[in-house]
Amino acid sequence: MFDGEWIAQGYAPGKLILTGEHAVVHGHLAVAVALDRGTTVSLASMDGPTRIASAACHDQRLQQAVAALLPPQGVSVSIETQLPVGRGLGSSAALSVALVRANAHLEGREASFAECHRQGFVAERIFHGNPSGVDHTVCALGSAVRYRRGEPAEPFTPPALQLVIMDSGTAGDTAAMVNAVASLPDARQRLADIGAVSKAISSTLTANVDPKTLGALMVENHRLLQGIGVSTPMLDALVDAACNAGALGAKLAGAGGGGVAVALVDDPEPVLRAVQRLGCTAFSVQLGGVSDRKQRANGSDPTSTVSTS
Ligand code: MEV
C-alpha cells in the first residue's frame, strides 16, 4: 500500500467477462462479474502541476486519464494494482473508477454510482477508444452484471460456480482488437452469433444452473471468438488443456489477442496443473460463494479470487 501522507484514496475491483465480449460493443448482451482484487489510487498534496508519482505502467493514456479526472495542480498520484495490465481483468476500468472515487474523496465526499459510471467512461474512452461500457460498469457496481450498451445494467447474484482463470502470459490491446473485429466483412453476423450464445449463457446462470450445458456453451463461445480472430495459440492451448483436464468448458475472456481464458470446473486442481505444464499461471475463483480452495499454478501468490454477488 501507499505509505506516504495520502489525503484521498479510491478503490475499484477488476472484472471477468463470462460471455459477450466484442458482441457487447455492437449492442448485444454481455455478462461479467467483479473480482475481489483491484486497483487503489492514492492522492497526496504537492506543489506544482499534478503528476503521477508511481504506477505499474506509465503511458500517455494514463497521463490523459489523470488529466481528465483530477485537478490540474497540487496532486501527486500513486497507483497500486493487483490486476495484471492488458490481461482482460479490467485493469483500466478499475483504474478509471478508482480515479473518480479518489477525486471525490479529495473533495470530501463519496462518488455516487452515477458519477463513477459517467466519469469512469471518460477515462475508459481514453484507454480504449470505443468501449461498450461493460468493464467500468461492473467495476463501479462491484457485482455480477448483465449488460447491454445504452441500457441500465442489471446486477444479479450468480449461481455457485467454480472457475479457473488462466493467464496466457501476454497482454492484448483492447482498442486494436475491437477495431479489427469491427472491420471484418462479416462482423455483423458473427457478432450476432456471439450475442445469441451470450443470451443462452445468461439464461443458464440461475440457481438451477446445469454446469454441463453452461460448459458446452462456453466452448461454443470460444469457437465463435476464434472465428473473429481474437484468440491466440496460447489461449487455444489453455482452453484445450483445461477441457482435457476435466473442465466442463472454457473460453477466452476479455478482448483477446493475449490475456486470460476462463474454465468452468468441478475440481480446479487438475486444470491448475495442466496450466502449469503449459508454463502459465492460473488461479481459482468461486462465484456465488466463498471458496476454500486456494490454488495457483507456477509459483505466484496462492490467492483465490472471489467474485462478489
Ligand atoms: C473488453 O474487456 C471487452 C470488449 O467487449 C470491449 C468492450 O466491451 O468495450 C472486447
Side-chain angles (χ1 to χ4, degrees), residues 110-179:
E110 296 290 317
S112 66
F113 169 72
E115 182 179 1
C116 291
H117 198 245
R118 190 181 57 252
Q119 293 296 99
F121 202 43
V122 171
E124 273 287 89
R125 280 212 199 92
I126 291 168
F127 287 118
H128 296 314
N130 177 30
S132 67
V134 64
D135 291 2
H136 82 289
T137 300
V138 68
C139 295
L141 282 169
S143 70
V145 166
R146 293 186 170 95
Y147 179 89
R148 213 184 269 274
R149 194 169 191 164
E151 293 179 10
E154 193 191 314
F156 73 104
T157 302
L161 293 172
Q162 181 79 52
L163 305 177
V164 173
I165 296 180
M166 310 176 287
D167 190 342
S168 70
T170 57
D173 180 333
T174 299
M177 300 312 287
V178 166
N179 288 339

Side-chain angles (χ1 to χ4, degrees), residues 15-17 19-26 30 87-90 92-93 121 124 128 130-136 147 149 174-175 177-178 181 225 230 252-256:
K15 60 83 192 172
L16 176 74
I17 296 191
T19 185
E21 49 273 275
H22 288 290
V24 67
V25 176
H26 303 270
R87 299 295 214 278
L89 296 179
S92 69
F121 202 43
E124 273 287 89
H128 296 314
N130 177 30
S132 67
V134 64
D135 291 2
H136 82 289
Y147 179 89
R149 194 169 191 164
T174 299
M177 300 312 287
V178 166
V181 169
L225 289 165
V230 299
L252 74 85

